[in-house]
Amino acid sequence: MSGPLRIAFVSGHSQWWRKQRLVAKYLKMRLEGVIYPDVYCLALMLSDKFDFLLEDEKVAPGNYDLIFAELQSSDSQLRYLESLVESGDPPVTVIPGPPAILSRDLTDAKLRRVKRILSGARHVWAYSPELKAFCDGLIGHERATVIPWPYDLAATQKLGRDSVRDSGRNKILVQAPMSFHDIAQNHPFVLKGVLLDLWQELPSLLREKLTFHTFLYNSTDVEKYKSSEFAKGLPFVLERKRGYRSFVRFLGECDGVINLTSGSILGRITFLAAALGRPGIFSDNSPLNARLYPGSGVAIFDMVRLRELVGAMLRGLANGGLSNGGVDARLLPSLSAAAEIGDFPANQERLRDLLGERAA
């Protein structure tokens, strides 16, 4: 193909104004020269721009070279995606979401539709070997391909250089986001129990300048955070919602990151923390987490190891933190893994190779 790929991405929205919010977000991103490590930016690894499609939007044959769609569990999205796959023109690349989301509302009818979509799509792209195994097993034969993700070490570090650190304060990010309900629940009070016990052991001087920071992404979690008095007894700061650039800068201001998640995850927060060299503790449910932080992975209910690692992080702050060499080496990221995972040009080339596309 001589010119750039013409790509469309199924937005997942049926309302025009919601789609336009996505259009504006990614236009702003391109103007800023930033690529987010999210599913939509897979298209930008192959072309300088792409279009969003509304659910049920008619697509004429030949309008695009490729349509991308993230496979989720809603009836309307599955029906539309199946119609696109059956048409075959343009060809469809399917990127399945986390198994917990895809499978939570499955019925016999939905399962048959999912199998037809995964079997009939031109490509099925998985963000991890575990997700590939889930998809292949679901349809009964090998179909999915594990792909690189749009991580960019150099761009992340460039954003992080804008971080302003307060030398007199210590910040630890605890859960982004914190979730008290649904399949994303990361059992906040389990972690709080560990923090409360260790808090009492800290020198008073450190307690005076240490704060824990967290994020909440929906109204249910905000209500539970407040009604349960989760922050009682610890210096928690509930951060406002931030855009990508602002969040990366905030992460660069932190002295440590604790992010425990349930289910099969991609590990975006882990990569950002590693790219910025932050000490971290992460759940061991992601291959990317294990590669980036080989010494500080923890099962979400392994309280003994969690207590040990959190204690090491807090003692490191008491010993001067990262700037003074006080951090336990187990909590530090693998710089070589971060460099390989975040090699954007190499990942871009690998993705193009999967399509047989050697665009300039």
Side-chain angles (χ1 to χ4, degrees), residues 4 26 29 33 53 58 82 110 162 184 194 233 245-246 284 295 309 342:
Y26 286 87
M29 178 202 67
L53 299 176
K58 299 297 183 182
E82 185 178 17
K110 278 189 177 182
D162 294 333
V194 172
R245 292 164 63 90
S246 176
D284 63 358
L309 292 173

Side-chain angles (χ1 to χ4, degrees), residues 289-307:
N289 286 7
R291 286 182 64 192
L292 289 172
Y293 284 86
S296 57
V298 59
I300 197 166
F301 291 124
D302 186 347
M303 301 297 288
V304 172
R305 179 163 171 78
L306 179 60
R307 183 181 296 272

Side-chain angles (χ1 to χ4, degrees), residues 11 18 36 52 72 86 89 117-118 177 198 236 272 276 291 293 301 322 348:
S11 68
R18 289 185 180 275
Y36 308 142
F52 281 108
Q72 298 292 355
E86 288 178 345
D89 187 5
I117 292 169
L118 293 177
L198 294 172
F236 263 95
L272 296 178
L276 300 177
R291 286 182 64 192
Y293 284 86
F301 291 124
L322 191 61
Q348 188 176 44

Side-chain angles (χ1 to χ4, degrees), residues 245-261:
R245 292 164 63 90
S246 176
F247 180 78
V248 172
R249 288 193 292 266
F250 167 81
L251 199 57
E253 298 168 7
C254 292
D255 299 279
V257 179
I258 303 172
N259 214 53
L260 309 181
T261 54

Side-chain angles (χ1 to χ4, degrees), residues 2 10 27 36 58 114 132 154 194 219 237 249 271 274 279 317 322 356-357:
S2 58
V10 177
L27 175 60
Y36 308 142
K58 299 297 183 182
V114 166
K132 169 181 165 54
V194 172
S219 58
V237 177
R249 288 193 292 266
F271 173 77
L317 293 178
L322 191 61
E357 170 62 32

Side-chain angles (χ1 to χ4, degrees), residues 33-306:
V34 174
I35 290 187
Y36 308 142
D38 70 7
V39 67
Y40 293 122
C41 285
L42 288 171
L44 291 176
M45 297 177 76
L46 300 168
S47 184
D48 290 336
K49 63 179 181 178
F50 64 95
D51 296 331
F52 281 108
L53 299 176
L54 285 171
E55 283 189 359
D56 293 327
E57 184 172 338
K58 299 297 183 182
V59 181
N63 272 15
Y64 297 103
D65 300 307
L66 197 62
I67 292 179
F68 281 3
E70 185 177 23
L71 182 64
Q72 298 292 355
S73 62
S74 74
D75 287 308
S76 60
Q77 196 248 23
L78 290 175
R79 283 196 302 270
Y80 180 49
L81 187 49
E82 185 178 17
S83 72
L84 293 174
V85 169
E86 288 178 345
S87 169
D89 187 5
V92 177
T93 294
V94 175
I95 305 103
I101 293 177
L102 181 59
S103 61
R104 63 179 172 180
D105 298 323
L106 277 183
T107 62
D108 283 342
K110 278 189 177 182
L111 178 58
R112 289 193 295 270
R113 180 165 277 148
V114 166
K115 288 183 175 182
R116 289 194 294 268
I117 292 169
L118 293 177
S119 297
R122 177 69 61 87
H123 307 280
V124 178
W125 286 352
Y127 61 71
S128 72
E130 287 76 10
L131 182 56
K132 169 181 165 54
F134 173 78
C135 293
D136 290 347
L138 198 62
I139 60 176
H141 60 85
E142 188 166 346
R143 186 74 177 84
T145 300
V146 179
I147 62 166
W149 210 252
Y151 291 119
D152 192 329
L153 179 70
T156 304
Q157 292 177 336
K158 182 179 179 180
L159 283 178
R161 284 198 291 270
D162 294 333
S163 303
V164 179
R165 299 179 59 79
D166 184 345
S167 58
R169 305 292 303 175
N170 294 114
K171 294 180 180 179
I172 295 180
L173 171 61
V174 179
Q175 308 293 54
M178 184 175 287
S179 181
F180 293 81
H181 79 295
D182 202 26
I183 60 171
Q185 179 178 186
N186 42 35
H187 311 287
F189 277 95
V190 173
L191 177 55
K192 182 181 179 179
V194 172
L195 293 174
L196 271 173
D197 290 346
L198 294 172
W199 178 256
Q200 304 304 319
E201 302 173 9
L202 295 179
S204 58
L205 185 61
L206 178 57
R207 289 202 302 266
E208 290 173 3
K209 64 178 184 177
L210 174 62
T211 47
F212 301 110
H213 298 252
T214 195
F215 293 82
L216 300 171
Y217 287 174
N218 62 58
S219 58
T220 300
D221 285 325
V222 171
E223 188 280 326
K224 289 184 177 292
Y225 178 87
K226 293 177 179 178
S227 64
S228 68
E229 297 186 313
F230 176 82
K232 186 175 181 179
L234 288 171
F236 263 95
V237 177
L238 180 57
E239 293 287 335
R240 61 179 174 82
K241 290 183 179 180
R242 297 171 180 264
Y244 177 72
R245 292 164 63 90
S246 176
F247 180 78
V248 172
R249 288 193 292 266
F250 167 81
L251 199 57
E253 298 168 7
C254 292
D255 299 279
V257 179
I258 303 172
N259 214 53
L260 309 181
T261 54
S262 58
S264 174
I265 63 162
L266 181 57
R268 284 185 287 257
I269 303 297
T270 316
F271 173 77
L272 296 178
L276 300 177
R278 299 299 93 196
I281 301 167
F282 297 92
S283 45
D284 63 358
N285 54 340
S286 162
L288 184 134
N289 286 7
R291 286 182 64 192
L292 289 172
Y293 284 86
S296 57
V298 59
I300 197 166
F301 291 124
D302 186 347
M303 301 297 288
V304 172
R305 179 163 171 78
L306 179 60

